């Protein structure tokens, strides 16, 4: 099964990945709002929600691509929220909590997307060479 030629994903799978991208973005916005409100509990809650969502997406989709999609949605939104607007408004203050959320969230996303279940060959659980 691992040596099959690549084929385009089905329409349902594309919709699922777009939904996961949107869910990652919503989690990033929610985490950005929660983490300064209840520091340090809000920070831990936001990072735990991101980690759980990335791992669950990888497991549900059956590949690391699900986790990477959620992580990408989270990172895009959080990086866009760090930019200041022309009016001078910004969402993140220059404090330790904001930097921990940004850098810790990126680290959590990378770790969880890497740990997410990849494709495994079917068959006997013994070594494949025997």
């Amino acid at each position: 099964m691992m040596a099959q030629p690549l084929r385009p994903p089905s329409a349902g799978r594309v919709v699922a990945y777009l939904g996961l991208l949107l869910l990652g973005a919503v989690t990033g916005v929610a985490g950005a709002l929660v983490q300064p409100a209840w520091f340090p509990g809000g920070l831990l809650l936001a990072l735990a929600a991101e980690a759980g969502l990335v791992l669950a997406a990888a497991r549900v989709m059956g590949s690391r691509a699900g986790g990477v999609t959620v992580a990408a949605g989270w990172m895009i939104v959080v990086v866009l929220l760090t930019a200041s607007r022309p009016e001078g408004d910004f969402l993140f203050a220059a404090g330790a909590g904001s930097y921990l959320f940004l850098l810790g969230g990126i680290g959590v996303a990378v770790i969880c997307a890497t740990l997410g279940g990849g494709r495994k060959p079917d068959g006997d659980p013994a070594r494949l060479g025997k």
Side-chain angles (χ1 to χ4, degrees):
M1 176 160 170
M2 300 281 285
Q4 299 293 325
L6 293 176
R7 59 184 191 275
S10 66
R13 200 156 178 89
V14 170
V15 169
Y17 281 123
L18 289 175
L20 289 174
L21 187 73
L22 181 65
L23 197 57
V26 168
T27 304
V29 170
L33 296 174
V34 166
Q35 65 90 16
W38 301 319
F39 189 79
L43 174 66
L44 295 175
L45 180 66
L47 294 178
E50 179 198 6
L53 183 62
V54 170
L55 287 173
R59 179 163 296 214
V60 166
M61 295 305 288
S63 69
R64 290 186 181 114
V68 170
T69 304
V70 170
W74 185 91
M75 285 185 207
I76 290 169
V77 166
V78 170
V79 168
L80 288 176
L81 290 176
T82 60
S84 63
R85 297 180 45 196
E87 297 87 16
D89 299 337
F90 57 90
L91 189 61
F92 289 103
S98 297
Y99 291 122
L100 283 173
F101 177 69
L102 180 63
L103 297 176
I106 291 172
V108 164
V110 168
I111 290 168
C112 291
T114 304
L115 289 177
R119 293 188 337 184
K120 295 174 184 65
D122 296 330
D124 192 21
R127 293 189 330 193
L128 296 176
K130 293 195 173 216

